């Protein structure tokens, strides 16, 4: 007998649940798009105001695209010497302050990861400073007694370590196997060698993450400058921005703008200054985003 082959009807394959688009997914996507628009539009509108003539802005404060371009606001910003002096001051604060912060954070986290007499008391005192500070007046008097008034160090030294960053770094160091340090000590390595040549390379993504955090905080420094800096040549960039925002209605045109018959636009200059102060961070962030995301992931898993 010849066997008759029975052909089964072809049934459509079931779509994976990951490939299905449900009404809930559409609602979530729509919500995220609306939320993203609400977050991004103020920044986009600031860019438009900075490059729009005053007449156009008065007619249409909320615009989707510029109907006319005017770069006089940026001309005023780049011709203003106080902005460049503030930029240079902030760059110095960011570089030296971030190195100071990350050095103290890494060394303290590495030290607290080892046993020593009074370790619990030291950790308790460190945690105490997270909730209670010495107060404004004692801090001001200390800065004055140390002779740091009207110096860049008054904006760098008072803020040494973020306790939350320190504890996250300590938790990560604690997750590194002890066998690595033990084998290094057998080979004759001391604690500094172990920290800089073994521990830090493993913790590089997290270190760079905290470098970004500290760097942004230092770049936005203004409060200590407001308290301790009296000279206009030493004011950080954010204080200069603050003065421009406060005096946006009484801004005087520069000589080149007066010769060209250009009248300064207060709100445009204000927004142009904001864009200029944000630009360096916006340029550097994409190059460090890889380490930033990796550091957050490692911190979430290990911490």
């Amino acid at each position: 007998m010849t066997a008759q082959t029975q052909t089964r009807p072809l049934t459509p394959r079931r779509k994976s649940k990951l490939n299905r688009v449900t009404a809930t997914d559409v609602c979530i996507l729509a919500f995220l798009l609306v939320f993203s628009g609400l977050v991004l539009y103020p920044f986009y509108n600031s860019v438009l105001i900075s490059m729009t003539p005053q007449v156009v802005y008065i007619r249409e404060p909320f615009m989707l695209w510029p109907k006319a371009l005017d770069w006089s606001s940026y001309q005023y910003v780049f011709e203003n010497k106080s902005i460049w002096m503030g930029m240079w001051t902030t760059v110095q604060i960011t570089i030296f302050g971030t190195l100071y912060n990350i050095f103290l954070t890494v060394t303290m986290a590495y030290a607290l990861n080892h046993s020593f007499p009074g370790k619990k008391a030291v950790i308790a005192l460190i945690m105490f400073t997270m909730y209670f500070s010495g107060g404004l007046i004692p801090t001001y008097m200390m800065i004055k007694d140390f002779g740091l008034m009207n110096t860049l160090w008054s904006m760098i030294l008072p803020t040494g370590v973020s306790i939350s960053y320190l504890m996250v770094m300590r938790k990560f160091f604690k997750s590194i196997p002890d066998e690595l340090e033990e084998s290094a000590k057998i080979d004759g390595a001391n604690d500094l060698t172990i920290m800089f040549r073994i521990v830090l390379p493993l913790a590089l993504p997290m270190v760079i993450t905290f470098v970004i955090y500290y760097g942004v905080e230092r770049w936005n420094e203004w409060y200590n400058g407001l308290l301790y800096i009296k000279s206009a040549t030493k004011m950080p960039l954010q204080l200069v921005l603050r003065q421009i925002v406060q005096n946006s209605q009484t801004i005087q045109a520069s000589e080149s703008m007066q010769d060209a018959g250009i009248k300064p636009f207060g709100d445009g200059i204000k927004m142009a200054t904001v864009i200029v102060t944000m630009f360096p961070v916006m340029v550097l962030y994409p190059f460090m985003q890889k380490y930033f995301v990796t550091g957050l992931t490692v911190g979430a898993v290990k911490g």
Side-chain angles (χ1 to χ4, degrees):
M1 296 178 62
T2 59
Q4 296 180 353
T5 57
Q6 297 180 354
T7 58
R8 295 181 180 179
L10 297 176
T11 57
R13 294 181 179 179
R14 294 182 178 179
K15 293 183 178 180
S16 174
K17 293 182 179 180
L18 296 177
N19 295 330
R20 294 179 182 176
V21 178
T22 62
T24 304
D25 296 333
V26 174
C27 293
I28 293 175
L29 180 61
F31 172 77
L32 292 177
L33 289 175
V34 173
F35 183 76
S36 301
L38 293 176
V39 172
L40 295 176
Y41 180 76
F43 175 75
Y44 176 68
N45 191 51
S46 300
V47 175
L48 294 182
I49 294 174
S50 67
M51 60 178 63
T52 302
Q54 184 174 6
V55 177
V56 177
Y57 173 70
I58 293 175
R59 294 176 181 175
E60 190 176 353
F62 300 97
M63 61 190 83
L64 294 178
W65 56 84
K67 296 182 179 179
L69 294 178
D70 182 13
W71 304 101
S72 60
S73 297
Y74 287 97
Q75 179 183 351
Y76 176 87
V77 169
F78 290 121
E79 289 181 354
N80 193 337
K81 295 181 180 180
S82 62
I83 291 179
W84 293 109
M85 289 188 293
M87 180 85 71
W88 172 238
T89 300
T90 298
V91 168
Q92 296 180 77
I93 295 172
T94 302
I95 294 175
F96 294 110
T98 302
L99 293 176
Y100 170 68
N101 290 142
I102 203 66
F103 175 77
L104 291 181
T105 303
V106 170
T107 52
M108 288 182 65
Y110 182 76
L112 293 175
N113 190 40
H114 294 75
S115 298
F116 57 88
K119 175 181 176 180
K120 293 184 178 180
V122 172
I123 294 177
L125 291 175
I126 291 175
M127 295 300 296
F128 180 82
T129 62
M130 186 176 181
Y131 301 101
F132 302 96
S133 64
L136 178 60
I137 296 177
T139 304
Y140 184 88
M141 294 177 64
M142 181 183 67
I143 296 296
K144 184 177 181 180
D145 292 339
F146 277 104
L148 299 177
M149 294 294 294
N150 204 31
T151 64
L152 296 182
W153 297 110
S154 64
M155 295 179 283
I156 295 176
L157 296 179
T159 307
V161 176
S162 172
I163 306 303
S164 58
Y165 301 167
L166 172 65
M167 292 304 163
V168 173
M169 185 72 71
R170 174 175 171 263
K171 286 290 185 181
F172 178 80
F173 287 163
K174 192 175 182 180
S175 67
I176 297 177
D178 297 334
E179 290 76 10
L180 290 176
E181 296 189 17
E182 293 175 358
S183 61
K185 288 181 179 179
I186 293 175
D187 293 336
N190 55 25
D191 289 333
L192 290 178
T193 303
I194 294 173
M195 183 180 70
F196 286 106
R197 301 191 65 178
I198 297 177
V199 176
L200 277 185
L202 295 175
L204 185 61
M206 180 165 289
V207 171
I208 294 181
T209 300
F210 289 140
V211 166
I212 296 174
Y213 282 158
Y214 279 128
V216 173
E217 291 174 3
R218 291 297 188 172
W219 184 264
N220 294 326
E221 171 63 47
W222 68 275
Y223 184 69
N224 288 334
L226 181 65
L227 294 176
Y228 309 128
I229 300 299
K230 305 301 180 184
S231 176
T233 59
K234 297 180 180 180
M235 287 186 178
L237 182 61
Q238 306 304 330
L239 269 186
V240 177
L241 171 61
R242 178 174 176 267
Q243 290 182 348
I244 291 177
V245 171
Q246 290 178 342
N247 303 327
S248 59
Q249 302 302 326
T250 59
I251 292 177
Q252 299 294 328
S254 61
E255 294 182 1
S256 60
M257 295 177 68
Q258 291 177 357
D259 295 338
I262 301 175
K263 184 179 180 181
F265 174 30
D267 289 336
I269 293 174
K270 185 194 318 181
M271 295 304 174
T273 309
V274 171
I275 301 303
V276 170
T277 55
M278 293 175 58
F279 185 75
V281 178
M282 294 171 60
V283 170
L284 290 177
Y285 180 78
F287 297 99
M288 307 183 74
Q289 184 179 9
K290 176 180 65 175
Y291 299 100
F292 179 75
V293 175
T294 304
L296 290 180
T297 306
V298 172
V301 175
K302 299 294 184 181

